[in-house]
């Protein structure tokens, strides 16, 4: 069941084809599509009409699922000799138009008979995990991505010190890696029908298997991770599925493979390394650490840019050659490692804007003097105060004058003693304290002398 609502897959399809019982539906038209169908003829033909559909579904599709075929007869991928080439072309057409793919019902029946058919479903996830291979700076802006890359660089160094090396190879043994894929994934969606179609694509160069090999100190070697992918649109590469050996999980083989693979593709001239859709599933958590999450509309913009480059380029990016690509992976063989060592240039601070000079204020006209209001009390006549005949003499209290004179004398004496102490090597605070102490002693002596004279 792909839609996620209703009683069954058939009920969902019939609900879109026929109105409810009792006449036409009174519900208003909605701007979303819960189930999207694409005829096999339109898929294989491609062209502007298919791109218009993809652009519409990018905005309206709720589930991100595209059913190939008619509502009553979904397309069946076939491994029959006369149909396998068409099935392989249908897969490539989905990739060229920005969709991923999965298959359903591709398993070995209980009676052991080999099935020749399975159902293919196109995927237009809302969020894509894609690595633009020329955008090192954008990738390294993310803290998690930057940290993961440095962790992988550290592991490559540490494993080399222990005598273990890693090698990147391509297409050495398709049967072996597909067997390891089935053993790794308990709910593996790749079955015998798709494996037969893959074999056809493998022979035409449309299926590439990147393999990570561990080379031990004793000379033994084994595959510890692999990516199954498809080059398409001349400069893009789509990873359909992958696996790693859990016995080597502390070496992070999936991450080493991802960064080494991306570096090889970048050197060959590819623009995009696409991991397909991503979500909150635990199986998807590695994707945002090796690629950039983006909305599907932005991903389609990147893909269209790749198509525009293909129209003007002299030749498409070459397929990776079979065999050993990197005999011994070093740090510089990991995508983004060189860029991560470059010093980060901090953006210059914007120049502070100078405040404009304040405009001179216009001079205000002088205000007329306010005329005080005449109160009722002011209207009552009163006697004028007597005017003194001459200037009044200021009477000064002799005791206050004497106290002020003594204060002035004490202040001058303090300044004199303080200056002498500073000249003698005292600090400013010590000199002030010593000056106050001496003044206090002098004042006490003067009081004793004055008391003796009075007696």
């Amino acid at each position: 069941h792909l839609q996620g609502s209703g009683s069954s897959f058939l009920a969902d399809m019939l609900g879109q084809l026929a109105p409810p019982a009792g006449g036409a539906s009174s519900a208003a038209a909605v701007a979303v599509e819960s189930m999207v169908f694409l005829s096999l003829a339109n898929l294989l033909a491609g062209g502007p009409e298919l791109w218009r559909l993809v652009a519409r579904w990018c905005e309206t599709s709720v589930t991100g699922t595209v059913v190939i075929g008619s509502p009553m007869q979904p397309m069946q991928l076939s491994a029959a000799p006369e149909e396998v080439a068409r099935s392989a072309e249908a897969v490539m057409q989905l990739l060229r138009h920005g969709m991923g793919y999965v298959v359903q019902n591709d398993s070995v029946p209980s009676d052991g008979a080999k099935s020749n058919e399975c159902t293919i479903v196109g995927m237009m996830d809302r969020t894509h995990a894609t690595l633009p291979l020329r955008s090192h700076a954008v990738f390294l802006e993310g803290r998690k991505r930057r940290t993961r890359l440095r962790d992988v660089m550290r592991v490559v160094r540490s494993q080399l010190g222990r005598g273990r090396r890693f090698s990147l190879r391509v297409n050495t043994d398709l049967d072996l890696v597909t067997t390891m894929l089935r053993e790794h994934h308990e709910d593996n969606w790749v079955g015998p029908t798709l494996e037969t179609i893959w074999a056809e694509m493998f022979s035409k160069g449309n299926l590439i298997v990147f393999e990570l090999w561990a080379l031990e100190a004793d000379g033994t070697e084994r595959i510890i991770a692999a990516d199954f992918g498809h080059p398409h649109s001349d400069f893009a590469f789509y990873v359909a599925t992958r696996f790693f050996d859990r016995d080597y999980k502390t070496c992070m083989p999936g991450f080493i493979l991802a960064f080494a693979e991306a570096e090889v593709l970048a050197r060959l001239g590819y623009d995009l390394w696409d991991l397909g859709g991503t979500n909150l599933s635990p199986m998807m958590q590695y994707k945002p650490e090796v690629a950039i999450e983006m909305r599907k509309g932005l991903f389609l913009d990147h893909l269209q840019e790749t198509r525009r480059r293909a129209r003007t380029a002299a030749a498409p990016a070459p397929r990776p050659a079979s065999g050993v690509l990197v005999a011994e992976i070093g740090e510089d063989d990991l995508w983004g490692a060189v860029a991560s060592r470059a010093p980060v240039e901090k953006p210059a601070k914007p120049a502070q804007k100078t405040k404009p000079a304040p405009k001179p204020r216009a001079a205000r006209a002088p205000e007329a003097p306010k005329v005080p209001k005449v109160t009722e009390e002011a209207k009552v006549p009163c006697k004028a105060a007597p005017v003194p005949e001459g200037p009044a003499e200021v009477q000064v209290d002799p005791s206050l004058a004497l106290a002020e004179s003594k204060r002035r004398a004490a202040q001058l004496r303090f300044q004199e003693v303080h200056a002498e102490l500073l000249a003698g090597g005292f600090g400013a605070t010590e000199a002030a304290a010593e000056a106050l102490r001496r003044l206090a002693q002098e004042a006490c002596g003067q009081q004793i002398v004055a008391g003796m004279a009075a007696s």
Side-chain angles (χ1 to χ4, degrees):
H1 187 204
L2 301 175
Q3 184 176 355
S5 62
S7 58
S8 67
F9 178 74
L10 182 60
D12 287 334
M13 290 189 293
L14 293 176
Q16 295 188 39
L17 298 176
S25 171
S26 59
V30 294
V32 297
E33 298 176 76
S34 58
M35 188 71 67
V36 172
F37 296 93
L38 174 62
S39 71
L40 178 59
N42 284 344
L43 175 62
L44 295 177
E49 178 59 28
L50 181 53
W51 275 111
R52 281 193 288 268
L53 289 173
V54 170
R56 188 186 82 194
W57 294 336
C58 179
E59 301 294 333
T60 63
S61 177
V62 175
T63 61
T65 302
V66 180
V67 179
I68 311 301
S70 65
M72 303 303 294
Q73 190 177 2
M75 177 189 174
Q76 300 295 306
L77 285 182
S78 176
E82 65 276 8
E83 294 289 338
V84 66
R86 186 180 71 157
S87 297
E89 180 60 19
V91 172
M92 294 302 298
Q93 279 291 84
L94 287 174
L95 301 178
R96 295 183 189 115
H97 291 84
M99 290 177 271
Y101 73 95
V102 295
V103 298
Q104 297 176 332
N105 305 321
D106 189 11
S107 58
V108 179
S110 57
D111 59 3
K114 186 175 181 180
S115 173
N116 283 331
E117 292 186 346
C118 62
T119 303
I120 183 171
V121 179
M123 303 300 298
M124 289 188 63
D125 298 87
R126 294 183 178 182
T127 306
H128 263 258
T130 302
L131 181 60
L133 295 172
R134 313 294 170 208
S135 302
H136 296 87
V138 177
F139 178 87
L140 293 172
E141 286 176 357
R143 182 180 60 84
K144 285 187 177 181
R145 299 190 295 264
R146 187 172 60 249
T147 301
R148 176 59 69 186
L149 174 59
R150 290 173 178 170
D151 287 344
V152 174
M153 295 165 62
R154 174 182 53 78
V155 167
V156 170
R157 288 196 307 269
S158 64
Q159 292 297 309
L160 182 60
R162 298 174 185 176
R164 176 179 291 160
R165 295 165 295 133
F166 301 101
S167 175
L168 182 66
R169 306 177 186 180
V170 168
N171 295 347
T172 63
D173 193 333
L174 181 61
D175 292 335
L176 174 61
V177 291
T178 51
T179 299
M180 296 179 70
L181 176 66
R182 286 195 298 269
E183 293 174 352
H184 177 80
H185 292 292
E186 296 178 356
D187 56 347
N188 181 35
W189 52 272
V190 179
T193 302
L194 185 58
E195 288 177 8
T196 303
I197 297 169
W198 273 2
E200 170 71 14
M201 302 175 76
F202 186 84
S203 66
K204 301 292 179 61
N206 289 329
L207 175 70
I208 304 294
V209 183
F210 282 94
E211 307 157 0
L212 182 69
W213 290 68
L215 313 178
E216 303 296 348
D218 59 2
T220 60
E221 58 183 30
R222 60 184 294 184
I223 298 177
I224 61 173
D227 279 0
F228 298 77
H230 308 281
H232 67 92
S233 306
D234 289 353
F235 300 101
F237 190 89
Y238 171 79
V239 178
T241 188
R242 64 199 325 251
F243 76 86
F244 70 93
D245 190 333
R246 291 186 176 89
D247 293 339
Y248 286 78
K249 63 181 180 181
T250 57
C251 299
M252 298 193 290
F255 290 103
I256 295 177
L257 174 61
F259 288 115
E261 176 184 332
E263 178 64 15
V264 165
L265 292 172
R267 292 177 183 179
L268 289 174
Y270 285 82
D271 290 336
L272 293 179
W273 184 65
D274 181 27
L275 293 176
T278 184
N279 52 43
L280 298 179
S281 167
M283 298 295 291
M284 301 283 189
Q285 295 310 299
Y286 75 93
K287 292 186 178 182
E289 297 181 5
V290 297
I292 299 173
E293 287 186 305
M294 59 184 69
R295 303 295 289 179
K296 56 187 175 184
L298 180 57
F299 166 73
L300 289 177
D301 290 342
H302 281 289
L303 185 59
Q304 291 285 17
E305 181 62 30
T306 298
R307 296 178 69 245
R308 284 191 289 270
R309 180 190 172 193
R311 288 195 292 267
T312 59
R319 304 293 199 261
S322 299
V324 179
L325 293 184
V326 184
E328 183 177 323
I329 296 175
E331 290 184 54
D332 290 349
D333 296 312
L334 303 174
W335 186 92
V338 175
S340 69
R341 299 193 199 98
V344 179
E345 295 184 1
K346 296 183 179 180
K349 294 183 179 180
Q352 295 182 352
K353 296 182 178 180
T354 56
K355 295 182 179 180
K359 296 180 179 180
R361 295 182 180 180
R364 293 184 179 181
E367 296 181 358
K370 295 182 179 180
V371 179
K373 295 182 179 180
V374 180
T375 61
E376 292 297 328
E377 295 179 356
K379 295 178 180 180
V380 179
C382 58
K383 296 181 179 180
V387 178
E389 295 180 358
E393 295 183 0
V394 179
Q395 301 293 331
V396 180
D397 188 349
S399 61
L400 294 178
L402 180 61
E404 178 64 19
S405 175
K406 289 181 178 181
R407 187 189 68 77
R408 296 278 300 174
Q411 184 178 8
L412 293 174
R413 178 59 181 160
F414 173 82
Q415 294 175 353
E416 179 183 354
V417 174
H418 186 260
E420 292 177 359
L421 293 173
L422 288 176
F426 281 79
T429 303
E430 296 174 351
E434 179 63 20
L436 289 175
R437 188 183 67 79
R438 292 185 183 184
L439 289 179
Q441 290 179 349
E442 292 178 1
C444 181
Q446 291 177 359
Q447 290 179 357
I448 293 174
V449 172
M452 293 175 61
S455 61

